[in-house]
CSV table of all heavy atoms in Angstrom, one decimal:
chain,number,residue,atom,x,y,z
D,270,SER,N,-40.5,-10.5,51.3
D,270,SER,CA,-39.5,-11.1,52.2
D,270,SER,C,-39.9,-12.6,52.5
D,270,SER,O,-39.0,-13.5,52.5
D,270,SER,CB,-39.4,-10.3,53.5
D,270,SER,OG,-39.0,-9.0,53.2
D,271,ASP,N,-41.2,-12.8,52.8
D,271,ASP,CA,-41.6,-14.2,53.1
D,271,ASP,C,-41.4,-15.1,51.9
D,271,ASP,O,-41.0,-16.3,52.1
D,271,ASP,CB,-43.1,-14.2,53.5
D,271,ASP,CG,-43.5,-15.5,53.9
D,271,ASP,OD1,-43.0,-16.0,54.9
D,271,ASP,OD2,-44.5,-16.1,53.3
D,273,MET,N,-39.0,-14.9,49.8
D,273,MET,CA,-37.5,-15.1,49.6
D,273,MET,C,-36.9,-16.0,50.7
D,273,MET,O,-35.8,-16.5,50.5
D,273,MET,CB,-36.8,-13.8,49.6
D,273,MET,CG,-37.2,-12.8,48.6
D,273,MET,SD,-36.4,-11.2,49.0
D,273,MET,CE,-37.2,-10.1,47.8
D,274,ASN,N,-37.6,-16.2,51.8
D,274,ASN,CA,-36.9,-16.8,53.0
D,274,ASN,C,-36.3,-18.2,52.6
D,274,ASN,O,-35.2,-18.5,53.0
D,274,ASN,CB,-37.9,-17.0,54.1
D,274,ASN,CG,-38.1,-15.7,54.8
D,274,ASN,OD1,-37.3,-14.8,54.8
D,274,ASN,ND2,-39.3,-15.5,55.5
D,275,ASP,N,-37.1,-19.0,51.9
D,275,ASP,CA,-36.6,-20.4,51.6
D,275,ASP,C,-35.3,-20.4,50.8
D,275,ASP,O,-34.4,-21.1,51.1
D,275,ASP,CB,-37.7,-21.2,51.0
D,275,ASP,CG,-38.9,-21.4,51.9
D,275,ASP,OD1,-38.7,-21.3,53.1
D,275,ASP,OD2,-40.0,-21.7,51.4
D,276,ILE,N,-35.3,-19.6,49.7
D,276,ILE,CA,-34.2,-19.7,48.8
D,276,ILE,C,-33.0,-19.0,49.5
D,276,ILE,O,-31.8,-19.5,49.3
D,276,ILE,CB,-34.5,-18.9,47.5
D,276,ILE,CG1,-33.4,-19.1,46.5
D,276,ILE,CG2,-34.8,-17.5,47.7
D,276,ILE,CD1,-33.1,-20.5,46.1
D,277,LEU,N,-33.2,-18.0,50.3
D,277,LEU,CA,-32.1,-17.4,51.0
D,277,LEU,C,-31.5,-18.4,52.0
D,277,LEU,O,-30.2,-18.5,52.2
D,277,LEU,CB,-32.5,-16.2,51.8
D,277,LEU,CG,-32.9,-15.0,50.9
D,277,LEU,CD1,-33.4,-13.8,51.7
D,277,LEU,CD2,-31.6,-14.5,50.1
D,278,ALA,N,-32.3,-19.2,52.7
D,278,ALA,CA,-31.8,-20.2,53.6
D,278,ALA,C,-31.0,-21.3,52.9
D,278,ALA,O,-30.0,-21.8,53.3
D,278,ALA,CB,-33.0,-20.8,54.4
D,279,GLN,N,-31.5,-21.6,51.7
D,279,GLN,CA,-30.8,-22.6,50.8
D,279,GLN,C,-29.4,-22.1,50.4
D,279,GLN,O,-28.4,-22.8,50.5
D,279,GLN,CB,-31.6,-22.9,49.6
D,279,GLN,CG,-31.0,-24.0,48.7
D,279,GLN,CD,-31.9,-24.2,47.5
D,279,GLN,OE1,-33.1,-24.0,47.5
D,279,GLN,NE2,-31.2,-24.7,46.4
D,280,VAL,N,-29.3,-20.9,50.0
D,280,VAL,CA,-28.1,-20.3,49.6
D,280,VAL,C,-27.1,-20.2,50.8
D,280,VAL,O,-25.9,-20.5,50.7
D,280,VAL,CB,-28.3,-18.9,48.9
D,280,VAL,CG1,-26.9,-18.2,48.7
D,280,VAL,CG2,-29.0,-19.0,47.6
D,281,ALA,N,-27.6,-19.8,51.9
D,281,ALA,CA,-26.8,-19.7,53.1
D,281,ALA,C,-26.2,-21.0,53.6
D,281,ALA,O,-25.1,-21.0,54.2
D,281,ALA,CB,-27.6,-19.0,54.2
D,282,THR,N,-27.0,-22.1,53.4
D,282,THR,CA,-26.5,-23.4,53.9
D,282,THR,C,-25.7,-24.2,52.9
D,282,THR,O,-24.8,-25.0,53.3
D,282,THR,CB,-27.7,-24.2,54.4
D,282,THR,OG1,-28.7,-24.3,53.3
D,282,THR,CG2,-28.4,-23.6,55.6
D,298,CYS,N,-25.6,-12.6,50.9
D,298,CYS,CA,-26.8,-13.3,51.5
D,298,CYS,C,-27.1,-12.8,52.9
D,298,CYS,O,-28.2,-12.5,53.2
D,298,CYS,CB,-26.5,-14.8,51.5
D,298,CYS,SG,-28.0,-15.8,51.9
D,299,VAL,N,-26.0,-12.6,53.7
D,299,VAL,CA,-26.3,-12.1,55.0
D,299,VAL,C,-26.8,-10.7,55.0
D,299,VAL,O,-27.7,-10.3,55.7
D,299,VAL,CB,-24.9,-12.2,55.8
D,299,VAL,CG1,-25.1,-11.4,57.2
D,299,VAL,CG2,-24.6,-13.6,56.1
D,301,THR,N,-28.5,-9.4,52.6
D,301,THR,CA,-29.9,-9.4,52.2
D,301,THR,C,-30.8,-9.8,53.3
D,301,THR,O,-31.9,-9.3,53.6
D,301,THR,CB,-30.1,-10.4,51.0
D,301,THR,OG1,-29.2,-9.9,50.0
D,301,THR,CG2,-31.5,-10.4,50.5
D,302,ILE,N,-30.4,-10.9,54.1
D,302,ILE,CA,-31.3,-11.3,55.2
D,302,ILE,C,-31.4,-10.2,56.3
D,302,ILE,O,-32.6,-10.0,56.8
D,302,ILE,CB,-30.6,-12.6,55.8
D,302,ILE,CG1,-30.7,-13.8,54.9
D,302,ILE,CG2,-31.3,-13.0,57.1
D,302,ILE,CD1,-29.9,-15.0,55.3
D,303,MET,N,-30.4,-9.5,56.6
D,303,MET,CA,-30.5,-8.4,57.6
D,303,MET,C,-31.2,-7.2,57.0
D,303,MET,O,-31.7,-6.4,57.8
D,303,MET,CB,-29.1,-8.0,58.0
D,303,MET,CG,-28.2,-9.1,58.6
D,303,MET,SD,-29.1,-10.1,59.9
D,303,MET,CE,-29.3,-8.9,61.1
D,305,ILE,N,-34.0,-7.3,54.8
D,305,ILE,CA,-35.4,-7.6,54.5
D,305,ILE,C,-36.1,-7.9,55.8
D,305,ILE,O,-35.5,-8.0,56.9
D,305,ILE,CB,-35.6,-8.7,53.5
D,305,ILE,CG1,-35.1,-10.0,54.0
D,305,ILE,CG2,-34.8,-8.3,52.2
D,305,ILE,CD1,-35.4,-11.2,53.1
D,306,GLU,N,-37.4,-8.2,55.7
D,306,GLU,CA,-38.2,-8.5,56.8
D,306,GLU,C,-38.1,-10.0,57.0
D,306,GLU,O,-39.1,-10.8,56.9
D,306,GLU,CB,-39.6,-8.1,56.6
D,306,GLU,CG,-39.8,-6.6,56.3
D,306,GLU,CD,-39.3,-5.7,57.4
D,306,GLU,OE1,-39.5,-6.1,58.6
D,306,GLU,OE2,-38.7,-4.7,57.1
D,307,ALA,N,-36.9,-10.5,57.4
D,307,ALA,CA,-36.7,-12.0,57.5
D,307,ALA,C,-37.2,-12.5,58.8
D,307,ALA,O,-37.4,-11.7,59.8
D,307,ALA,CB,-35.2,-12.3,57.3
D,308,THR,N,-37.4,-13.8,58.9
D,308,THR,CA,-37.8,-14.5,60.2
D,308,THR,C,-36.6,-14.5,61.1
D,308,THR,O,-35.4,-14.3,60.7
D,308,THR,CB,-38.3,-15.9,59.9
D,308,THR,OG1,-37.2,-16.6,59.3
D,308,THR,CG2,-39.4,-15.9,58.9
D,309,SER,N,-36.9,-14.6,62.4
D,309,SER,CA,-35.9,-14.6,63.4
D,309,SER,C,-34.9,-15.8,63.2
D,309,SER,O,-33.7,-15.6,63.4
D,309,SER,CB,-36.5,-14.7,64.8
D,309,SER,OG,-37.3,-15.9,65.0
D,310,GLY,N,-35.4,-16.9,62.8
D,310,GLY,CA,-34.5,-18.1,62.6
D,310,GLY,C,-33.5,-17.8,61.4
D,310,GLY,O,-32.3,-18.2,61.5
D,311,LEU,N,-34.0,-17.1,60.4
D,311,LEU,CA,-33.1,-16.8,59.3
D,311,LEU,C,-32.0,-15.8,59.7
D,311,LEU,O,-30.9,-15.9,59.3
D,311,LEU,CB,-33.9,-16.3,58.1
D,311,LEU,CG,-33.2,-16.2,56.8
D,311,LEU,CD1,-32.7,-17.6,56.3
D,311,LEU,CD2,-34.2,-15.7,55.7
D,312,ARG,N,-32.4,-14.9,60.6
D,312,ARG,CA,-31.4,-13.9,61.1
D,312,ARG,C,-30.4,-14.6,61.9
D,312,ARG,O,-29.2,-14.2,61.9
D,312,ARG,CB,-32.2,-12.8,61.8
D,312,ARG,CG,-32.9,-11.8,60.9
D,312,ARG,CD,-33.6,-10.8,61.8
D,312,ARG,NE,-34.3,-9.8,60.9
D,312,ARG,CZ,-35.3,-9.1,61.3
D,312,ARG,NH1,-35.8,-9.2,62.5
D,312,ARG,NH2,-35.9,-8.2,60.4
D,313,VAL,N,-30.8,-15.5,62.7
D,313,VAL,CA,-29.8,-16.2,63.6
D,313,VAL,C,-28.9,-17.0,62.7
D,313,VAL,O,-27.6,-17.0,62.9
D,313,VAL,CB,-30.6,-17.2,64.5
D,313,VAL,CG1,-29.6,-18.1,65.2
D,313,VAL,CG2,-31.4,-16.4,65.6
D,314,LEU,N,-29.4,-17.6,61.6
D,314,LEU,CA,-28.5,-18.3,60.6
D,314,LEU,C,-27.5,-17.3,60.0
D,314,LEU,O,-26.3,-17.6,59.9
D,314,LEU,CB,-29.4,-18.9,59.5
D,314,LEU,CG,-28.6,-19.6,58.4
D,314,LEU,CD1,-27.7,-20.7,58.9
D,314,LEU,CD2,-29.6,-20.1,57.3
D,315,ALA,N,-28.0,-16.1,59.7
D,315,ALA,CA,-27.0,-15.1,59.1
D,315,ALA,C,-26.0,-14.7,60.1
D,315,ALA,O,-24.8,-14.6,59.7
D,315,ALA,CB,-27.9,-13.9,58.6
D,316,ILE,N,-26.4,-14.5,61.3
D,316,ILE,CA,-25.4,-14.0,62.3
D,316,ILE,C,-24.4,-15.2,62.6
D,316,ILE,O,-23.2,-14.9,62.9
D,316,ILE,CB,-26.1,-13.6,63.6
D,316,ILE,CG1,-26.9,-12.3,63.3
D,316,ILE,CG2,-25.2,-13.3,64.7
D,316,ILE,CD1,-27.8,-11.8,64.4
D,317,ASN,N,-24.8,-16.4,62.6
D,317,ASN,CA,-23.9,-17.5,62.7
D,317,ASN,C,-22.9,-17.6,61.6
D,317,ASN,O,-21.7,-17.9,61.8
D,317,ASN,CB,-24.7,-18.8,62.8
D,317,ASN,CG,-25.5,-19.0,64.1
D,317,ASN,OD1,-25.2,-18.3,65.1
D,317,ASN,ND2,-26.5,-19.8,64.1
D,318,ILE,N,-23.3,-17.2,60.4
D,318,ILE,CA,-22.4,-17.2,59.3
D,318,ILE,C,-21.3,-16.1,59.6
D,318,ILE,O,-20.1,-16.3,59.3
D,318,ILE,CB,-23.1,-16.8,58.0
D,318,ILE,CG1,-24.0,-18.0,57.6
D,318,ILE,CG2,-22.1,-16.5,56.9
D,318,ILE,CD1,-24.9,-17.7,56.4
D,345,ASP,N,-31.0,-8.0,66.2
D,345,ASP,CA,-31.1,-9.2,67.1
D,345,ASP,C,-29.9,-9.2,68.0
D,345,ASP,O,-28.9,-9.9,67.7
D,345,ASP,CB,-31.2,-10.4,66.2
D,345,ASP,CG,-31.6,-11.6,67.0
D,345,ASP,OD1,-31.6,-11.6,68.2
D,345,ASP,OD2,-32.1,-12.6,66.4
Side-chain angles (χ1 to χ4, degrees):
S270 301
D271 186 60
M273 301 174 190
N274 283 337
D275 293 339
I276 187 61
L277 291 175
Q279 179 182 337
V280 172
T282 52
C298 186
V299 171
T301 301
I302 292 172
M303 303 309 298
I305 66 173
E306 307 297 321
T308 60
S309 59
L311 195 59
R312 285 178 179 158
V313 171
L314 175 62
I316 293 175
N317 290 339
I318 293 173
D345 194 343

